Amino acid sequence: MNIVFIDNLLMIPPTGGAHTFLVELCDSLVRLGHRVSVVTQPGPEQSLTRALTDSGTEVLTTVWRAWHLPDERGRALAAWVNSERPDVYVISVSPDAGWVALPLLDSSIATVSIAHNDVSAFYTPLQHYGPFVDCAVGVSKILRDKIIGVCSIPADRARYIPYGVTSLSPSQIEGLAQHSSAPDQTLRIGYAGRLVQAQKRIMEFVPLAEQLVKYKLDFELHFIGEGSERSDLEAAFKRAGLEQHVRMWGWLSPDQMRQQLLQLDVFVLLSDYEGLPVALLEAMGHGLVPIVTQIDSGNTQLVGNTENGFVVPVGDIQGCATALQTLAKDRNMLLQLKRAAWESVQEYSVQRSTDDYVDCFAELVRASKRREHRKNLPEPFPIMPSCHSKYPHWLRKTKARLLSFRPAFVWK
């Protein structure tokens, strides 16, 4: 099959699980003999596009220009896709062009959207362009249910396809678990992801560390990732006199991250919303005990309280600290939960995720002649409201041109 993915933000940091997932999926699809292309826009993050290119995936960054307005981006993208005639067109991450192009695509091209997170950025475009999406994928069971309930997509056009990760082997997890058995050993706590307060609530790690000090725990906090709040987080730890407990690793390559996970005991995720966190899957696959928040997401799909980790209410720093204290003092429980966490994610393999997508794509291609949901739609189909503007076209074009001449992507 010839498959095209749209991910506008692949090169715009800080990247997250939705982007690293795409790299893994494309690599697996190419290995199976499929032709794969990814359309994105330029930015300073080069590592993911290099990984895609190395895998044999074609990466395109000039399908539209920086000064193009959303409707112009959509037309340019649709023209390129129609000239390529792929079997499948997949919107992974796109605030505008990927969706705006949908009504302009040749009707023979199967279309798919992926909801990576429990936010309107994935639901609102699907609500508007739903008739043009042959299959809407949710990466967690809850996201699939919301695709049906919130976006009014019929159940037969919605699927649940979780991410896949590479886990340790049974012998590796057994050997690794034994290293955490000593009761006097430092409890090594990890977080991997974007260092931002919005969604990830990253600043709450400071009062959490303060509480652990009050408990007189011997602990280390390891942060893997980058983001706009990194300097604020480091400054807050320093003001609290906690910097000796903190290790900042920045962004790591997939291999480097897996090596770092081997050194940790616990994975803490304090988010107020998620989809199915790739970092959480990877951590559990490497035998880390998860402590996550009780939210509508893959968190509670993966983690059962005291069964293979801990689940605490959003903002419950005391509850999180108590769970960490329990693990630090009860090393038998730590070992049991490490094994249970690892066992819980064995079904979430890269191979299984890839197979599910291949099956989905093949089924859509076979059904390309039977698309009742695309009939009797207005022509031209209206552009989604977020791409409208009250300002005249000439003024919007002038602004877009001016903005294209300044550095658009800057680390904060």
Side-chain angles (χ1 to χ4, degrees), residues 26 35 41-42 93 99 110 155 161-162 172 201 214 227 235 302 318 335 338 376 380 382:
C26 289
R35 179 186 172 191
Q41 60 194 49
V93 178
W99 297 96
I161 304 180
Q172 286 175 314
R201 303 174 72 97
K214 290 179 182 179
L302 292 170
Q318 182 64 54
L335 288 177
K338 276 178 167 283
N376 302 317

Side-chain angles (χ1 to χ4, degrees), residues 35-263:
R35 179 186 172 191
V36 183
S37 304
V38 173
V39 178
T40 188
Q41 60 194 49
E45 175 54 64
Q46 304 290 324
S47 61
L48 297 181
T49 51
R50 281 198 299 268
L52 284 168
T53 302
D54 290 345
S55 75
T57 299
E58 181 183 14
V59 178
L60 299 104
T61 61
T62 58
V63 172
W64 62 78
R65 302 297 182 183
W67 57 84
H68 281 164
L69 299 175
D71 55 334
E72 296 172 319
R73 293 182 178 204
R75 288 197 298 271
L77 176 58
W80 178 82
V81 173
N82 287 335
S83 69
E84 290 292 307
R85 287 297 182 94
D87 299 293
V88 187
Y89 171 91
V90 186
I91 304 172
S92 185
V93 178
S94 181
D96 47 37
W99 297 96
V100 175
L102 279 171
L104 307 176
L105 297 181
D106 187 283
S107 60
S108 66
I109 300 171
T111 56
V112 177
S113 69
I114 305 175
H116 294 281
N117 228 324
D118 185 25
V119 289
S120 60
F122 293 104
Y123 298 139
T124 301
L126 183 57
Q127 288 173 314
H128 186 82
Y129 289 107
F132 295 97
V133 176
D134 298 326
C135 182
V137 173
V139 300
S140 72
K141 294 175 181 176
I142 289 175
L143 288 185
R144 179 190 177 274
D145 291 343
K146 289 194 173 183
I147 284 171
I148 297 169
V150 174
C151 303
S152 301
I153 300 296
D156 62 349
R157 286 169 45 215
R159 289 201 186 198
Y160 158 58
I161 304 180
Y163 298 133
V165 295
T166 301
S167 296
L168 298 181
S169 68
S171 60
Q172 286 175 314
I173 191 64
E174 186 62 30
L176 183 65
Q178 296 304 325
H179 292 299
S180 305
S181 59
D184 59 345
Q185 197 167 36
T186 300
L187 188 69
R188 298 157 300 179
I189 305 161
Y191 166 85
R194 293 175 294 118
L195 300 182
V196 294
Q197 179 63 14
Q199 181 191 0
K200 301 298 186 178
R201 303 174 72 97
I202 197 71
M203 299 305 294
E204 291 185 357
F205 277 95
V206 179
L208 175 61
E210 290 176 323
Q211 188 61 53
L212 296 180
V213 169
K214 290 179 182 179
Y215 286 160
K216 299 182 179 179
L217 293 190
D218 182 9
F219 72 96
E220 293 176 354
L221 283 175
H222 295 256
F223 293 90
I224 302 170
E226 285 287 359
S228 56
E229 264 91 1
R230 173 172 175 168
S231 59
D232 293 340
L233 182 63
E234 290 177 310
F237 278 125
K238 188 172 183 179
R239 285 194 302 270
L242 297 167
E243 63 267 34
Q244 71 272 21
H245 294 283
V246 179
R247 308 287 186 272
M248 292 283 185
W249 297 98
W251 282 113
L252 300 178
S253 70
D255 287 341
Q256 289 173 326
M257 179 171 172
R258 291 176 188 124
Q259 286 301 312
Q260 187 58 42
L261 290 175
L262 293 174
Q263 311 305 315

Side-chain angles (χ1 to χ4, degrees), residues 340-403:
W342 174 82
E343 290 171 357
S344 299
V345 299
Q346 292 314 291
E347 62 182 285
Y348 297 90
S349 69
V350 174
Q351 184 61 57
R352 179 170 179 176
S353 182
T354 303
D355 290 344
D356 287 347
Y357 273 104
V358 170
D359 290 345
C360 173
F361 296 160
E363 182 179 316
L364 294 177
V365 170
R366 289 194 298 269
S368 62
K369 304 299 182 183
R370 305 188 304 275
R371 292 197 175 114
E372 297 297 323
H373 50 279
R374 292 194 188 183
K375 293 183 177 179
N376 302 317
L377 296 174
E379 294 185 22
F381 195 81
I383 195 170
M384 62 182 174
S386 63
C387 294
H388 282 301
S389 175
K390 63 181 179 180
Y391 299 106
H393 184 268
W394 69 268
L395 183 58
R396 294 164 62 211
K397 286 293 292 182
T398 301
K399 179 181 178 182
R401 282 277 186 178
L402 291 173
L403 290 175

Side-chain angles (χ1 to χ4, degrees), residues 3-59:
I3 307 160
V4 169
F5 290 93
I6 314 300
D7 186 336
N8 292 44
L9 307 183
L10 188 68
M11 300 178 70
I12 301 176
T15 52
H19 312 290
T20 56
F21 140 83
L22 184 60
V23 174
E24 291 272 13
L25 178 60
C26 289
D27 178 65
S28 297
L29 290 171
V30 170
R31 289 175 185 273
L32 291 174
H34 301 287
R35 179 186 172 191
V36 183
S37 304
V38 173
V39 178
T40 188
Q41 60 194 49
E45 175 54 64
Q46 304 290 324
S47 61
L48 297 181
T49 51
R50 281 198 299 268
L52 284 168
T53 302
D54 290 345
S55 75
T57 299
E58 181 183 14
V59 178

Side-chain angles (χ1 to χ4, degrees), residues 276-299:
L276 183 72
V278 173
L280 176 59
L281 282 169
E282 290 183 328
M284 294 174 70
H286 283 72
L288 276 66
V289 178
I291 301 177
V292 300
T293 44
Q294 178 78 43
I295 54 178
D296 282 343
S297 75
N299 283 14

